Amino acid sequence: MKLTFEVFFPALRPWVENLVNVWPAPFVKPQFASFEVLHILSLILLGGTAILMNLRLIGAGVTDEPPSEIYRNLRRWQDLGVIGIVVTGVLIGMANAERLYDSTAFVVKMLALLAGVVLTYGASRPVARADGAVSTGAKLWLLIGGALFLLGIWVFVTGALINVGLFHVLSAAALLVLIALTGRLRWIYLAGLIVLIAASQFLTHVGVEPDDLAKLDPVNKTFFVLYSLWIFGAAAVQLFVKERGAEAGAVAKLIAYATILVWVVGAAAGRWIAFA
Amino acid sequence: LVWLEAELGKGSGDTALSWSQALEGSLNFWNLLEGTHLITLMLFAGTIFVVDLRLLGVTFRKTPVSVVSDRVLPLTVAGFVLMIVTGLALFLAKPVIYYHSLWFRLKLVFLAVAMINIVIFHARVQRNQHKWDTLALPPRAARISAVLSLASWAAVITMGRFIPYNWFDCGKPIPHIVNVLENCKASDHGAVDKESMAKIAGGQGQ
């Protein structure tokens, strides 16, 4: 079954079909590309601030300053990014409503947006403000945001034609862990990653005929699982490593990883709306 | 570019594809490259914007500029490397289309502006950075450089987003100046001047 908003709200179709005629959609539609640019610029602002704020909790980035200082300096810019993606998202969404209504990737994007807002405002920012101390409230928001995040991942994984987009999330996680790890651990992790990449490329280009999709599909899926185990296994190790400049504990780091990756999921799903 | 698109990497046999054709016709790989190119903007542009905002004196005012740039720019560079690799691969998939695209050409122009700005910043503005490194509001030259950086990268992103749109494709009736800027005469679709078409239509009307 294709999981779209139509499955949950079938009676809304006439309303959705008419959204393109409701102000300001008739004004937005001819300027669609310009509003897309504003959406992307907002995403960049949100992404940059989320990366720096959460990397600091993980123990990387601007480690010369405490997490609370990073939070204090970036929060307003992050607010601007969140407001920007929501406002421009609503506008371009109205001008393109029917397509979104029929898109599984859009369901993922909305779940990621919700999870992103919950994790950012409920968990990541309060933890950064408290220099890594995790309150009961933050833990609660982590559970709620984490559940929404995992639900979004599940829809992504099971979505036909869009689940390839999860490689974006995996790549981002791979890079994030590479940045977060230090010393010998980083080199071991990188070596393992290179071995996995070489093995997957060999098998999918030499071991199996390039057009034999029936064989390529299980090989690709197997490697997706192996990549995930290696990357998230390394991240799990990093959670419990006490490094210089890392005031935050394992739960704070978990919040930070999740908060960066949830926005990557949102961006990836947004892009795959156009592809599938 | 035609060789790059149609010949490079082409094997033997009638159905053999060049690397460019194989990439463009791939089931998912092109989409993954394009998606990665876009998502990496969060790392690349997102972090460079923060450094520019520090140079403008609107964030991290108590943190020395050198601390922000030393800690943030390695992330920016990592993002930039990914942007270049995926960007080159995307160009390989459709070199002729991009060559004749006004938006792609403008993107390269703004990319050059951004690069020149970086060179000038390092060669001239940063020369006396020790004098203003801890100032909440850096000197005018640094702020101008930050504004130029923000504007040129925003322009690069804007032009990049406009590339898929066919408003000014060669072969369509488009203004003469755009035909010249896109070198449409050399394209398979040729150059069709909007002004000439209007004149012909006007003449037929009379």
Side-chain angles (χ1 to χ4, degrees):
Chain A
M1 184 178 67
K2 196 180 172 199
L3 208 58
T4 64
F5 273 95
E6 189 188 26
V7 173
F8 303 108
F9 309 107
L12 285 184
R13 181 167 286 281
W15 178 77
V16 171
E17 283 175 349
N18 189 50
L19 268 180
V20 72
N21 302 313
V22 177
W23 191 90
F27 165 74
V28 173
K29 204 162 176 70
Q31 329 289 337
F32 193 81
S34 303
F35 281 93
E36 272 187 320
V37 168
L38 291 176
H39 195 59
I40 292 168
L41 290 175
S42 303
L43 182 73
I44 288 167
L45 198 54
L46 166 60
T49 53
I51 287 168
L52 291 176
M53 209 183 281
N54 289 290
L55 267 185
R56 180 62 191 87
L57 286 175
I58 293 169
V62 191
T63 46
D64 307 64
E65 299 286 2
S68 56
E69 191 63 13
I70 312 291
Y71 160 78
R72 200 181 61 76
N73 280 285
L74 294 180
R75 60 184 172 153
R76 293 296 167 233
W77 298 102
Q78 191 168 59
D79 290 338
L80 192 62
V82 171
I83 292 167
I85 58 159
V86 172
V87 172
T88 55
V90 168
L91 293 175
I92 59 180
M94 281 180 78
N96 196 27
E98 210 176 339
R99 181 174 191 158
L100 301 181
Y101 186 62
D102 294 325
S103 166
T104 306
F106 183 64
V107 176
V108 179
K109 183 170 172 158
M110 288 302 101
L111 284 168
L113 174 67
L114 203 56
V117 169
V118 169
L119 285 169
T120 299
Y121 287 93
S124 163
R125 286 171 52 146
V127 170
R129 192 174 53 210
D131 281 330
V134 185
S135 65
T136 309
K139 283 178 188 164
L140 188 67
W141 286 119
L142 169 65
L143 283 177
I144 296 168
L148 287 165
F149 185 16
L150 291 176
L151 183 63
I153 293 285
W154 177 76
V155 178
F156 216 164
V157 170
T158 55
L161 301 178
I162 64 162
N163 50 14
V164 185
L166 276 165
F167 271 101
H168 293 306
V169 186
L170 207 54
S171 311
L175 189 60
L176 187 55
V177 175
L178 188 65
I179 293 167
L181 287 172
T182 53
R184 193 184 297 168
L185 271 179
R186 178 185 275 175
W187 290 108
I188 294 170
Y189 166 73
L190 185 61
L193 210 53
I194 290 169
V195 168
L196 274 176
I197 291 169
S200 72
Q201 291 305 304
F202 178 79
L203 275 175
T204 53
H205 289 82
V206 182
V208 181
E209 286 295 315
D211 52 357
D212 191 350
L213 292 179
K215 281 185 185 166
L216 277 176
D217 193 44
V219 172
N220 278 325
K221 283 176 179 166
T222 304
F223 270 100
F224 188 87
V225 173
L226 291 175
Y227 278 124
S228 302
L229 287 173
W230 185 250
I231 293 163
F232 292 107
V237 170
Q238 200 272 339
L239 288 182
F240 297 99
V241 172
K242 187 77 185 161
E243 284 152 348
R244 188 170 55 86
E247 293 91 341
V251 179
K253 286 184 187 176
L254 180 65
I255 288 170
Y257 275 115
T259 308
I260 293 177
L261 289 179
V262 76
W263 292 119
V264 175
V265 171
R271 199 63 207 113
W272 281 77
I273 291 170
F275 295 150
Chain B
L1 289 175
V2 171
W3 168 82
L4 186 68
E5 187 169 287
E7 298 299 330
L8 182 66
K10 190 170 184 172
S12 55
D14 296 339
T15 55
L17 297 174
S18 68
W19 287 339
S20 170
Q21 291 161 340
L23 182 53
E24 196 196 354
S26 64
L27 187 62
N28 288 309
F29 194 51
W30 189 90
N31 292 346
L32 278 172
L33 282 173
E34 207 266 0
T36 306
H37 194 64
L38 184 96
I39 293 166
T40 307
L41 279 173
M42 291 202 290
L43 178 64
F44 167 64
T47 51
I48 209 168
F49 280 9
V50 170
V51 176
D52 289 334
L53 293 174
R54 170 62 186 98
L55 286 173
L56 283 173
V58 293
T59 190
F60 286 109
R61 289 165 63 90
K62 291 179 190 165
T63 310
V65 172
S66 59
V67 168
V68 174
S69 56
D70 288 354
R71 297 298 185 194
V72 176
L73 287 183
L75 300 170
T76 312
V77 171
F80 188 67
V81 170
L82 270 173
M83 298 293 306
I84 293 293
V85 170
T86 51
L88 285 174
L90 289 170
F91 179 78
L92 174 69
K94 303 172 186 178
V96 177
I97 288 177
Y98 288 140
Y99 174 75
H100 289 295
S101 163
L102 175 69
W103 306 116
F104 182 74
R105 289 175 174 221
L106 286 172
K107 180 175 177 171
L108 292 188
V109 169
F110 286 116
L111 194 60
V113 171
M115 291 298 167
I116 291 166
N117 183 46
I118 290 172
V119 171
I120 292 172
F121 181 77
H122 284 297
R124 296 185 69 111
V125 184
Q126 244 184 348
R127 218 164 26 189
N128 61 348
Q129 191 177 326
H130 60 280
K131 288 182 185 167
W132 51 265
D133 195 35
T134 54
L135 292 181
L137 189 67
R140 183 179 289 179
R143 282 181 278 143
I144 289 172
S145 187
V147 169
L148 270 175
S149 172
L150 285 169
S152 53
W153 287 119
V156 168
I157 292 159
T158 304
M159 297 303 111
R161 190 54 245 160
F162 284 177
I163 289 172
Y165 290 91
N166 63 356
W167 307 314
F168 294 121
D169 275 6
C170 289
K172 290 175 75 171
I174 52 178
H176 175 72
I177 182 69
V178 180
N179 270 315
V180 173
L181 288 173
E182 294 187 325
N183 193 17
C184 283
K185 255 186 188 170
S187 79
D188 284 347
H189 303 289
V192 181
D193 281 354
K194 196 176 179 180
E195 296 88 340
S196 308
M197 295 291 285
K199 270 185 194 169
I200 292 168
Q204 283 173 345
Q206 288 166 1

